[in-house]
Amino acid sequence: MKQNVHAIIFMLLRRKLLPVCAASTEQKTLFLKDFVPFLLNFLREQTSQILTNGPSTPAKTPNSKAHRSQRTGPERRASLGSFLAAAPEALPARRGRRKGSSSVSASGRQVVRDLGRSLAEEEDGKNESASWSGGRRKRSEVPLVAARSPPSQLNLNNLEEFPPMGTASGWTNKSKPSRRINPTPVSAERPLSKPKMCFTSTPVSQSPAARFSAGSSSEAFTTVQEGSPTSVISSSLQEEREMLKKERCKLLHQTSSPAGISPDPGTPTKPTYTRSASLPSESHLVTCADPAKVSCKKQLECLAQLYSSCIAENLVPNIFLEVFFVLQLLTSKGTSASEEEESDLEVSEGCKDVSRRQHFRSVHNCVYFAVQVLDYQYEIISHLEKGTLKFLAENERIATFSPTLHERLKQAYESSTAKVSLLLPCSVQSVSFQPETDNRSNFPSDRAFHIFKKQRDIFYELLREWEDNHEKPGWDFERVLGSKIRAMMAHLSATCNHSHFARLFQKQLTQMCKDPIGGGASWGDTPDQDVLNMLGPDNLSRLKRLQERFVVPQSIRGPCPPPSFPGCQQFFRDFILSAGSYQFNQHLVDSLCLKILELDGLTLVEHEHSDGETDMDEQDEKKRFTVVLLSLRLLAKFLGFLVFLPYRTVEQPTRDLQDTAVALRNQTLPVLDILKLLRRSIRNQRSVLTIPWIVEFLSLVDHIAPFLDYYRKVFCLLLLMVLSEDKEMSFLNKLLILAVLGWLFQVPSVPEELFFATDVRQEGLDSVPLVDQQLLYTCCPYLGELRKLLASFVAGSGVKNGGFIRKITPTAAESLAPKTSITQRKLQVELEQAFFHNQPPSLRRTVEFVAERVGSNCVKHIKATLVAELVQRAEVMLQDKVKEEDANHDKLLEEVCAHLYDEGAQALIKASYHLLPAKVLSSAEDIAVELATEKACGWLSANIAALIKREVKATFNRMLKVPGLPLPNEDAVELRRDCSPGCLHHAPFPSQIINEIKDVLCIAVGPRDEGEVIDPGWLECLLGRLSQTLRCRKFMCPTSEQQLAKCTVELASLLGKSVMKNCLRLKCVVNVLLNPWLQRLSYLEPVIFGSLGATESVGFFLVKFGWLFLFPCTFSGGY
Amino acid sequence: MKLTKAQYDEIAQFLGHVQPTRQSLRKLKEKFPSQSQSTLLSIFSQEYQKQIKRTHAKHHTAEAVESYYQRYLNGVMKNATAPVLLELANEVDFAPSLMARIVLERFLQEQEQAIPSKTLINSMLRDPSQIPDGVLANQIYQCTVNDCCYGPLVDCIKHAIGHEHEVLLREMLLEKNLSFIAEDQLRAKGYDKTPDFILEVPVAVEGHIIHWIESKASFGDESSHQAYLQDQFWSYWNRFGPGLVIYWYGFIEELDCHRERGILLKDCFPTDIVTLRHSMAQR
């Protein structure tokens, strides 16, 4: 049997390798590391035809050795041969591996180590180093599947100085690494699933307009498929294509089934079937996978084990890519044609033509293999989010192929609490104005202050415009906003306001994009019912979006999307690009660096919960960690974007250009010393915080940067992190690191050789379980692809249904009553957040600090009193019951505990009022008030004189600016404030009275309408109300009062003219009219009445009154 | 009072080409008895200002100014007590106060052989007794008093109304026990843009969080609202977050379209106010 497996694998190997290089025959010299890329490619190729679901998952693996390690330990030297030989024995050991939260790779590595040993014993005894070097020599001559040339030699020669933490290693790179070209490249129908698309290939030389013309999606990065032939690589690519053609032909001949899947052998790049959202017409029906129809089980088992070891050892670049691939196999929808093939295969097994054997030609085989692998990877799988677990637990194929795995998955699903929900998309909020940083004293001149005021408004105007329009077809950022942005930038330059604006920009960025999805749900969970409720009935746009989900088939994009700027991030990216301002970028970089350093250095975990008060703190820590991590990732992404922006090129530079560029750029210092930060974080066991943001930073590298000495060191150190084993590390922490790093290695501008050029070393990693599924999925939204894939399988099976339709579980409409309370609650939460919005950040910190301290003291108190008491009682109860019956102890314990829980909860409700002893609280409050008062008084006593002087001076200056309004004296100020005692403020408003007097003036001045006269009675009434108004100070302001005085006098003068001519009644009225004023100014009486009679012209009267009468009146501020 | 766009358009159309006199105002009230007087006056004033803005330039050409001045001189020569200037303004469809200004400017220019300062002119318009010519003073006074859309008297009334509503709003806030910072305090702290009131503790009005309240003692029509949005409301939003604008004399319903984004319009002090409850009380 062993021989059999052996033979098959080597047949496979030979079939693969021999056509290219006959020299590569010595199996022993194939080492695991050469083998991994080969294995991955082999599996992809084998399954390429059966996989019609989801996008292709080409692992970025070089097919040749890109490096050599001179000093790797024996555990890494296991050869394929040895592995195969030892595989069956290793199996039982692996079953029991990784119980608890030990590291992913610990026992897996042990297996390989064992295998390595068994190789040495079983195989022909060559010592390892000899076979290693032999292998290198030979393999290095092999162009293998003849892919295109490497972008350049991976010049890692001087890595002797590295890695810095004790291991020295040397790499040489003599062979040409080749990127495996997937046999069935992405069709044009699925532009989004091109895994190699990357914005780093944006042509910098292009005009901004052209750059943006591609629209606002992430594709605006003018993506160029990296595999596209260039003059340098075309020949090798052609070679590879030819080879693939041959392979295809071979397959066709072999199956000789005209009804089978028949990809056109002549055009391998354009398969006749598509894997996009619409399925091929002939595969409506999902083949029912049957364990009985599995052929060559042994070989599949062996492959599964081999493959699983690679995954467990972190030897694959991206574990989730592999998991995705396996799930693709699990959910593959075979056709009836492959069904028929089945018999052919069975027959052909007899002929022993193993080299031509296609192990994955049937759905049954694929599923069998997939289930095996899933079984091995149970630990990883079981840490996926609940929704994915549900699909897995309900997957009928798993149930039929492995009832035990089915059972385990079911349990995992049931016990899982890892419900990942969509976070509420945050609405745009402004950055609040904080006088400490934003008022005039922070600017060099009035002009700068004023201009920044405008800039802030323009910035938000742009943001709103973008928000309203960017989703409309044909809207183009650069065309619409470009010139406005640059105009604003020009103002910035003129006034040196860059740092202010950069800070605003960065704050707004953090505020808007702290929602990780950035506004657009990228992996699409159906939101929870509570979330839907929370959204409220008025939120039509979201409802609309939801509605779209019903009708728009979901596209599966694969687990390795290129770096992108989803949602609101797009605005900020495009803004930077459109602004094209060196100064602004520099200031923004400064601002980002500072913030990153600050956040990265935050103390997130208080190492003081030795006494077990972790429960409460843990939640808080997780929350804080999440917030900090997400902010860091966002900031680092933009920092990376800015740092590498000047070097971005469309295409990979030629080797010569690269060498020049490397030589040139090696001289410059990095803006932010991420290597130092990374090392420090590893030393301080904080890598779970640091690596995710460094990955974001690095994901935006240009083509050259990874080859610079500095960044190479960073990459190498990161690789060490992948391969290091640490039993201390929390499983999900490790998983997060692996997921983000795995993703990084798939980013197009990161050279693929890097991954297979590493070494082992041990490093401490964080042991605090900070990561949960919510965070994992938030950071790696592409993990949601796993679930999408499974969901699409459910949707597609059974029904005559071509697309990947998202499954939506209808839920009954809720009654309105609870909804309102939810809205109320939501409103309260929003109010609380809003409360802090305009307050200085220190307030929030203070509140959080106080809450944390008081809460933690509470917990301590509860434990010391309530819990201790309950436990005592439990002890008594238990003692009694244990005597009574010899019953199940567990059950007994549970019963007692359940009883006590209730009581505890009851007590807690009461306690929460009493626990914070009122005395303590009030004392603390008193002390705080006292201290604050003391402080304020101290300051005041020292500065009061200066302060008053300053304020008075400012007031004085303001007064002097108002022309004609003299200084009110102290008395007047007093009078102005107060109404007469008992005033109900019911007097007519001054405006009303002025208006009415104006009407009378109109009539008095004329021209009058027919029969229009001033009714003295009415006038009297008006004057009565005027005097009321003058007596109530509440609504009076200086201008009103002045005007009242003025127009009353004017009225008096106008009527005075008539008094002489008309009736006595009016004379009284005039007296009444002037009375309110005369009361205060009785000394002027003779003057007024003297002039009244003598005056002929209004003008003259006004001169007199205006001068003598009005002025003093307003001086004193009224009567 | 909220008006629909259609209702508003009907009023605006009626106001097509009316003179800003108390007679016109009376007619307007008769035509739309259901609308409040202040709302109508506010709309009237806004519409008239729009009309004036459109024609402003043509009244300020050198020829126009010269002809107005000559007509004034001829008029008062015939009869100094006749409302010469007022009738002239009505005849050429221009605001009497502005006509007064043109003629006064021209008069002073002739007298002093120099272009008079704006301050001086404003001061004379405010207090015609300062005008050296008694006849002109009378004529000008008649214009400013009879103009119900422009002029120092109208400006003062508007200012007084604005102030009174701010006081009213302050009273209401105090009554509701909402803590706030008023505009003058904000200025003292160095804020660059200041709404009438900033709420120290935000509240929710009709389910929307608000941080600030701006009082507008006018009717919110499209053009004034756009201008306010641009100069004030968005600026407040940019600094303090969402807020509430109270147009005491109503507004066009359709303009209240930024609620989701954070600019809420009301025509009175809101009744549906949710405050941040103390969390202990909540439980």
Side-chain angles (χ1 to χ4, degrees):
Chain A
M1 173 52 57
K2 211 183 281 176
Q3 281 310 312
N4 219 357
V5 176
H6 224 138
I8 288 158
I9 296 299
F10 284 119
M11 286 298 192
L12 298 171
L13 287 173
R14 196 177 302 132
R15 193 181 64 74
K16 182 83 185 173
L17 302 174
L18 280 182
V20 194
C21 177
S24 171
T25 47
E26 242 189 62
Q27 298 96 341
K28 278 177 299 181
T29 60
L30 291 173
F31 287 85
L32 199 55
K33 279 197 175 176
D34 302 290
F35 175 68
V36 173
F38 164 69
L39 176 67
L40 298 185
N41 282 332
F42 168 74
L43 287 173
R44 299 299 194 278
E45 185 167 310
Q46 281 268 309
T47 57
S48 63
Q49 309 219 345
I50 203 129
L51 287 186
T52 56
N53 47 343
S56 56
T57 51
K60 243 178 98 174
T61 57
N63 268 343
S64 68
K65 263 197 165 94
H67 65 278
R68 285 296 172 265
S69 176
Q70 302 296 334
R71 47 151 303 285
T72 35
E75 68 273 16
R76 296 236 163 248
R77 301 273 183 244
S79 76
L80 172 66
S82 72
F83 181 85
L84 291 171
E89 289 92 301
L91 198 59
R94 298 183 57 78
R95 285 278 183 203
R97 79 202 165 89
R98 285 195 269 123
K99 284 275 152 68
S101 61
S102 68
S103 102
V104 184
S105 55
S107 42
R109 178 165 292 121
Q110 187 56 47
V111 174
V112 181
R113 204 177 287 129
D114 294 344
L115 292 173
R117 251 174 242 129
S118 65
L119 156 83
E121 290 152 14
E122 272 185 40
E123 302 297 331
D124 53 356
K126 273 189 188 171
N127 83 37
E128 273 190 311
S129 58
S131 57
W132 175 252
S133 53
R136 174 180 48 169
R137 203 164 45 245
K138 293 216 164 97
R139 297 277 284 111
S140 57
E141 295 155 5
V142 177
L144 270 188
V145 204
R148 63 187 172 91
S149 320
S152 82
Q153 203 158 30
L154 183 63
N155 187 12
L156 298 173
N157 285 327
N158 60 353
L159 279 198
E160 272 85 8
E161 320 140 23
F162 187 81
M165 254 144 307
T167 37
S169 72
W171 282 305
T172 54
N173 175 28
K174 288 173 185 161
S175 66
K176 296 174 169 183
S178 93
R179 195 181 299 250
R180 186 71 180 85
I181 301 293
N182 195 282
T184 51
V186 187
S187 75
E189 285 172 59
R190 314 171 278 145
L192 286 179
S193 63
K194 290 176 191 170
K196 286 173 177 174
M197 240 173 354
C198 182
F199 83 111
T200 47
S201 34
T202 308
V204 166
S205 56
Q206 240 175 297
S207 74
R211 231 182 302 154
F212 292 113
S213 62
S216 49
S217 78
S218 63
E219 280 177 282
F221 284 128
T222 332
T223 55
V224 168
Q225 224 177 326
E226 297 229 328
S228 60
T230 65
S231 56
V232 187
I233 61 165
S234 57
S235 65
S236 54
L237 181 67
Q238 197 50 47
E239 216 173 316
E240 185 164 39
R241 282 190 167 178
E242 286 303 320
M243 234 194 59
L244 287 169
K245 274 186 199 170
K246 278 181 205 155
E247 288 293 311
R248 291 269 164 121
C249 285
K250 233 187 275 176
L251 291 175
L252 278 179
H253 290 309
Q254 179 204 358
T255 53
S256 67
S257 167
I261 317 157
S262 52
D264 183 358
T267 56
T269 52
K270 287 184 181 170
T272 51
Y273 55 87
T274 61
R275 289 191 211 156
S276 69
S278 55
L279 274 181
S281 53
E282 71 260 46
S283 55
H284 283 154
L285 297 169
V286 175
T287 314
C288 183
D290 184 354
K293 288 187 184 165
V294 176
S295 60
C296 39
K297 275 190 181 175
K298 288 288 174 286
Q299 290 90 331
L300 288 172
E301 277 165 20
C302 182
L303 272 174
Q305 195 185 358
L306 194 58
Y307 183 54
S308 299
S309 301
C310 293
I311 296 176
E313 283 282 343
N314 300 328
L315 293 176
V316 295
N318 182 341
I319 50 171
F320 287 105
L321 186 64
E322 303 310 317
V323 172
F324 186 81
F325 171 68
V326 169
L327 291 184
Q328 275 187 308
L329 289 179
L330 177 71
T331 57
S332 59
K333 304 178 184 199
T335 61
S336 51
S338 56
E339 199 74 28
E340 287 161 27
E341 263 168 49
E342 212 54 38
S343 50
D344 293 343
L345 280 170
E346 296 297 339
V347 173
S348 68
E349 197 171 15
C351 76
K352 295 277 175 205
D353 187 5
V354 252
S355 67
R356 308 199 143 206
R357 193 55 171 284
Q358 292 294 303
H359 294 89
F360 294 93
R361 287 292 282 162
S362 81
V363 173
H364 320 294
N365 283 13
C366 286
V367 173
Y368 184 73
F369 175 79
V371 171
Q372 290 263 319
V373 177
L374 287 178
D375 199 26
Y376 285 126
Q377 302 306 329
Y378 175 75
E379 182 157 28
I380 294 177
I381 303 291
S382 65
H383 278 86
L384 293 173
E385 57 91 37
K386 194 162 183 156
T388 314
L389 283 176
K390 181 167 188 275
F391 282 120
L392 283 168
E394 286 170 358
N395 189 292
E396 64 222 35
R397 285 181 171 176
I398 293 180
T400 29
F401 277 72
S402 172
T404 51
L405 178 61
H406 173 69
E407 203 49 45
R408 286 165 84 198
L409 286 168
K410 235 168 73 180
Q411 276 169 17
Y413 164 64
E414 276 155 17
S415 61
S416 170
T417 52
K419 215 172 167 195
V420 176
S421 69
L422 269 188
L423 298 171
L424 272 176
C426 76
S427 52
V428 179
Q429 265 202 331
S430 60
V431 172
S432 78
F433 181 97
Q434 292 298 329
E436 299 89 81
T437 52
D438 297 337
N439 74 11
R440 168 67 184 84
S441 58
N442 293 286
F443 290 83
S445 66
D446 277 335
R447 184 162 169 265
F449 179 57
H450 180 70
I451 286 186
F452 185 67
K453 176 174 88 181
K454 278 188 181 166
Q455 276 158 348
R456 181 194 286 262
D457 289 331
I458 294 172
F459 176 63
Y460 283 108
E461 200 185 306
L462 296 169
L463 189 53
R464 276 189 291 269
E465 186 167 352
W466 175 84
E467 215 194 357
D468 287 340
N469 299 313
H470 75 280
E471 274 168 338
K472 289 180 187 161
W475 194 85
D476 180 66
F477 189 96
E478 167 60 27
R479 189 168 47 78
V480 181
L481 303 180
S483 53
K484 290 184 197 170
I485 290 174
R486 282 185 291 275
M488 188 181 104
M489 283 294 158
H491 281 298
L492 276 182
S493 307
T495 51
C496 307
N497 277 348
H498 288 289
S499 65
H500 279 283
F501 186 71
R503 200 187 52 228
L504 176 68
F505 188 88
Q506 184 219 298
K507 280 191 169 175
Q508 188 63 38
L509 171 70
T510 334
Q511 204 161 70
M512 268 174 88
C513 306
K514 63 185 171 197
D515 163 23
I517 303 157
S522 63
W523 69 277
D525 193 351
T526 13
D528 294 348
Q529 188 59 43
D530 346 333
V531 175
L532 281 181
N533 289 343
M534 296 272 260
L535 294 178
D538 51 345
N539 228 324
L540 282 172
S541 71
R542 291 195 186 116
L543 196 64
K544 213 179 109 203
R545 232 181 290 157
L546 183 68
Q547 203 179 9
E548 277 166 8
R549 288 201 186 158
F550 279 100
V551 289
V552 178
Q554 174 184 10
S555 68
I556 296 178
R557 319 192 311 168
C560 296
S564 66
F565 291 85
C568 306
Q569 294 178 23
Q570 228 179 81
F571 171 81
F572 295 91
R573 179 206 58 191
D574 292 349
F575 187 99
I576 292 170
L577 288 173
S578 277
S581 161
Y582 173 76
Q583 294 101 312
F584 169 60
N585 287 2
Q586 187 59 45
H587 282 272
L588 190 54
V589 163
D590 294 347
S591 177
L592 290 170
C593 285
L594 184 72
K595 192 74 191 168
I596 287 174
L597 286 171
E598 182 196 316
L599 289 177
D600 191 59
L602 273 186
T603 313
L604 290 169
V605 179
E606 310 266 355
H607 291 286
E608 61 160 56
H609 30 70
S610 47
D611 54 346
E613 60 168 89
T614 49
D615 291 352
M616 199 191 74
D617 290 352
E618 219 172 74
Q619 276 311 309
D620 285 355
E621 272 167 14
K622 265 192 186 176
K623 231 193 210 155
R624 273 183 75 195
F625 177 78
T626 304
V627 171
V628 172
L629 181 75
L630 294 179
S631 306
L632 272 171
R633 279 166 54 89
L634 177 73
L635 298 171
K637 186 199 268 187
F638 274 86
L639 182 63
F641 176 67
L642 287 163
V643 166
F644 300 112
L645 183 66
Y647 304 109
R648 191 155 301 140
T649 49
V650 197
E651 283 166 27
Q652 193 133 15
T654 61
R655 179 63 186 283
D656 285 348
L657 284 175
Q658 184 182 311
D659 287 348
T660 325
V662 167
L664 201 62
R665 287 173 58 188
N666 263 336
Q667 305 308 314
T668 52
L669 287 171
V671 182
L672 183 65
D673 195 349
I674 53 168
L675 182 60
K676 194 181 90 191
L677 290 171
L678 183 58
R679 283 178 185 160
R680 194 178 66 192
S681 83
I682 294 168
R683 202 165 46 239
N684 300 343
Q685 307 207 325
R686 291 167 62 89
S687 54
V688 71
L689 177 64
T690 305
I691 289 184
W693 72 256
I694 288 191
V695 163
E696 287 290 299
F697 175 82
L698 291 175
S699 71
L700 293 165
V701 287
D702 58 278
H703 288 295
I704 306 286
F707 298 99
L708 300 178
D709 291 346
Y710 180 81
Y711 288 109
R712 205 173 45 210
K713 285 180 195 166
V714 177
F715 273 106
C716 289
L717 190 50
L718 285 173
L719 279 161
L720 295 180
M721 295 309 300
V722 179
L723 295 156
S724 69
E725 43 183 307
D726 185 351
K727 294 179 183 69
E728 296 288 291
M729 182 120 181
S730 153
F731 187 83
L732 278 165
N733 288 11
K734 179 87 182 170
L735 212 55
L736 173 66
I737 293 182
L738 287 176
V740 294
L741 284 173
W743 173 76
L744 178 65
F745 295 129
Q746 300 296 318
V747 167
S749 44
V750 176
E752 60 268 37
E753 308 88 67
L754 270 180
F755 180 78
F756 294 96
T758 187
D759 226 316
V760 196
R761 48 169 295 114
Q762 245 161 289
E763 265 312 329
L765 286 171
D766 299 32
S767 52
V768 190
L770 288 169
V771 178
D772 55 14
Q773 277 86 352
Q774 176 80 52
L775 182 59
L776 179 68
Y777 276 71
T778 308
C779 289
C780 315
Y782 35 86
L783 296 187
E785 297 290 310
L786 301 175
R787 175 171 162 170
K788 274 196 216 166
L789 186 65
L790 289 166
S792 70
F793 176 68
V794 173
S797 59
V799 202
K800 192 182 168 189
N801 188 343
F804 293 103
I805 304 297
R806 190 181 311 231
K807 188 183 163 196
I808 294 187
T809 325
T811 41
E814 294 234 335
S815 67
L816 283 168
K819 219 173 192 170
T820 52
S821 80
I822 289 170
T823 337
Q824 287 301 318
R825 240 182 18 230
K826 179 200 163 210
L827 205 56
Q828 285 296 322
V829 172
E830 282 178 8
L831 276 170
E832 198 180 301
Q833 284 174 348
F835 170 68
F836 286 111
H837 180 254
N838 284 335
Q839 303 290 351
S842 61
L843 179 69
R844 176 171 234 152
R845 280 199 299 272
T846 312
V847 168
E848 276 168 2
F849 175 75
V850 171
E852 196 246 303
R853 289 322 305 153
V854 173
S856 145
N857 282 340
C858 260
V859 171
K860 274 184 189 147
H861 183 77
I862 292 175
K863 267 188 288 194
T865 57
L866 182 74
V867 175
E869 189 200 306
L870 287 175
V871 169
Q872 269 177 3
R873 279 176 44 208
E875 222 175 327
V876 178
M877 284 163 80
L878 283 170
Q879 271 170 0
D880 293 349
K881 290 207 175 165
V882 167
K883 279 175 209 156
E884 275 171 26
E885 46 192 308
D886 251 349
N888 188 338
H889 279 200
D890 286 346
K891 206 180 151 197
L892 196 62
L893 191 65
E894 239 166 67
E895 263 173 38
V896 172
C897 284
H899 178 68
L900 290 177
Y901 286 157
D902 286 347
E903 236 173 281
Q906 296 265 318
L908 265 181
I909 294 168
K910 279 184 246 159
S912 56
Y913 293 110
H914 304 298
L915 256 176
L916 270 183
K919 261 186 217 161
V920 175
L921 262 190
S922 63
S923 312
E925 213 175 290
D926 291 348
I927 294 170
V929 170
E930 205 183 301
L931 284 176
T933 317
E934 214 171 89
K935 222 174 175 180
C937 285
W939 185 87
L940 279 175
S941 64
N943 299 291
I944 190 77
L947 180 75
I948 289 177
K949 193 174 174 194
R950 201 183 72 199
E951 291 299 307
V952 168
K953 198 176 162 197
T955 318
F956 185 61
N957 283 338
R958 267 204 302 279
M959 279 167 190
L960 291 179
K961 273 183 195 161
V962 182
L965 186 73
L967 285 168
N969 59 39
E970 286 293 314
D971 273 0
V973 172
E974 282 306 300
L975 280 167
R976 190 165 284 172
R977 295 278 145 81
D978 297 324
C979 302
S980 56
C983 175
L984 294 170
H985 314 305
H986 286 160
F989 286 160
S991 62
Q992 178 64 30
I993 300 295
I994 301 174
N995 209 15
E996 287 180 30
I997 295 179
K998 179 178 173 280
D999 285 348
V1000 182
L1001 283 174
C1002 281
I1003 300 170
V1005 176
R1008 302 182 192 186
D1009 285 354
E1010 191 100 351
E1012 227 174 14
V1013 282
I1014 299 170
D1015 175 13
W1018 182 73
L1019 195 57
E1020 230 169 336
C1021 160
L1022 169 63
L1023 294 174
R1025 294 193 296 135
L1026 165 68
S1027 106
Q1028 280 174 36
T1029 299
L1030 288 171
R1031 242 170 261 134
C1032 173
R1033 316 298 306 161
K1034 186 154 201 151
F1035 297 98
M1036 194 64 78
C1037 67
T1039 17
S1040 312
E1041 194 161 25
Q1042 225 179 333
Q1043 191 64 46
L1044 277 173
K1046 187 168 173 281
C1047 59
T1048 323
V1049 172
E1050 283 165 8
L1051 187 58
S1053 86
L1054 286 167
L1055 296 179
K1057 267 181 22 176
S1058 350
V1059 167
M1060 310 287 30
K1061 297 168 192 163
N1062 297 319
C1063 64
L1064 201 68
R1065 179 85 184 268
L1066 271 178
K1067 186 167 185 178
C1068 303
V1069 168
V1070 175
N1071 282 332
V1072 176
L1073 193 65
L1074 297 172
N1075 214 26
W1077 311 99
L1078 298 178
Q1079 278 171 7
R1080 292 267 314 163
L1081 302 159
S1082 48
Y1083 64 94
L1084 283 172
E1085 207 169 342
V1087 186
I1088 297 159
F1089 282 93
S1091 49
L1092 249 184
T1095 308
E1096 283 291 323
S1097 95
V1098 180
F1100 181 74
F1101 176 85
L1102 284 174
V1103 172
K1104 290 261 175 188
F1105 267 66
W1107 201 80
L1108 288 173
F1109 187 50
L1110 272 179
F1111 255 45
C1113 167
T1114 44
F1115 278 180
S1116 61
Y1119 78 108
Chain B
M1 179 168 304
K2 278 187 264 187
L3 298 185
T4 62
K5 180 82 174 67
Q7 281 176 308
Y8 170 80
D9 285 343
E10 196 191 339
I11 297 174
Q13 196 163 16
F14 175 78
L15 288 170
H17 276 283
V18 285
Q19 281 149 4
T21 58
R22 60 188 195 282
Q23 288 83 3
S24 314
L25 203 59
R26 212 179 301 139
K27 263 187 260 165
L28 185 65
K29 280 176 212 160
E30 280 159 18
K31 171 87 183 176
F32 301 98
S34 61
Q35 308 296 348
S36 89
Q37 188 176 325
S38 347
T39 303
L40 287 175
L41 180 59
S42 185
I43 295 176
F44 181 20
S45 177
Q46 285 165 354
E47 287 304 307
Y48 187 70
Q49 284 176 25
K50 280 181 218 166
Q51 186 195 318
I52 290 299
K53 263 179 211 154
R54 280 195 297 271
T55 58
H56 191 267
K58 87 171 183 202
H59 297 293
H60 278 79
T61 57
E63 302 85 60
V65 169
E66 202 49 46
S67 106
Y68 296 155
Y69 188 57
Q70 287 311 322
R71 286 183 66 178
Y72 156 75
L73 287 178
N74 293 338
V76 289
M77 210 121 71
K78 275 182 219 150
N79 181 3
T81 52
V84 178
L85 212 47
L86 184 64
E87 275 169 4
L88 174 63
N90 285 340
E91 194 195 311
V92 298
D93 255 337
F94 199 50
S97 294
L98 300 177
M99 181 59 83
R101 178 186 282 271
I102 289 177
V103 170
L104 176 62
E105 237 175 61
R106 178 68 186 75
F107 169 79
L108 291 174
Q109 215 174 316
E110 194 174 72
Q111 285 233 312
E112 289 162 31
Q113 298 300 317
I115 293 168
S117 77
K118 261 223 157 76
T119 338
L120 180 68
I121 291 183
N122 284 337
S123 165
M124 286 182 169
L125 284 173
R126 256 201 309 273
D127 178 7
S129 65
Q130 294 173 21
I131 299 170
D133 180 312
V135 175
L136 181 60
N138 271 329
Q139 291 286 339
I140 283 179
Y141 186 66
Q142 193 170 38
C143 280
T144 53
V145 166
N146 274 294
D147 193 331
C148 63
C149 292
Y150 284 92
L153 203 50
V154 174
D155 288 346
C156 178
I157 293 172
K158 281 181 185 165
H159 182 273
I161 292 176
H163 175 77
E164 287 152 15
H165 281 93
E166 269 177 49
V167 175
L168 276 174
L169 180 54
R170 178 195 301 266
E171 288 301 299
M172 288 162 176
L173 289 171
L174 287 171
E175 193 187 317
K176 292 272 176 189
N177 211 10
L178 304 176
S179 94
F180 57 84
I181 317 177
E183 206 171 353
D184 40 352
Q185 288 167 283
L186 290 169
R187 281 217 194 89
K189 285 187 180 182
Y191 284 85
D192 55 0
K193 289 263 185 173
T194 49
D196 291 331
F197 299 100
I198 283 187
L199 300 172
E200 279 185 309
V201 182
V203 298
V205 169
E206 288 160 21
H208 299 272
I209 306 265
I210 59 159
H211 289 276
W212 48 267
I213 303 178
E214 175 80 2
S215 160
K216 286 280 172 242
S218 63
F219 180 83
D221 71 347
E222 274 164 310
S223 58
S224 67
H225 185 63
Q226 285 311 324
Y228 282 140
L229 275 176
Q230 184 70 25
D231 293 342
Q232 301 185 359
F233 307 156
W234 285 129
S235 292
Y236 302 154
W237 187 96
N238 299 342
R239 286 156 181 79
F240 315 110
L244 167 71
V245 177
I246 303 179
Y247 279 112
W248 296 102
Y249 295 155
F251 57 90
I252 299 175
E253 238 170 352
E254 282 83 348
L255 293 176
D256 190 12
C257 57
H258 295 297
R259 286 191 159 223
E260 287 309 313
R261 203 167 234 172
I263 296 200
L264 206 63
L265 303 189
K266 293 286 293 174
D267 61 345
C268 58
F269 193 76
T271 45
D272 175 12
I273 297 180
V274 178
T275 51
L276 180 60
R277 284 188 291 266
H278 197 270
S279 51
M280 287 302 253
Q282 224 178 316
R283 276 160 205 161

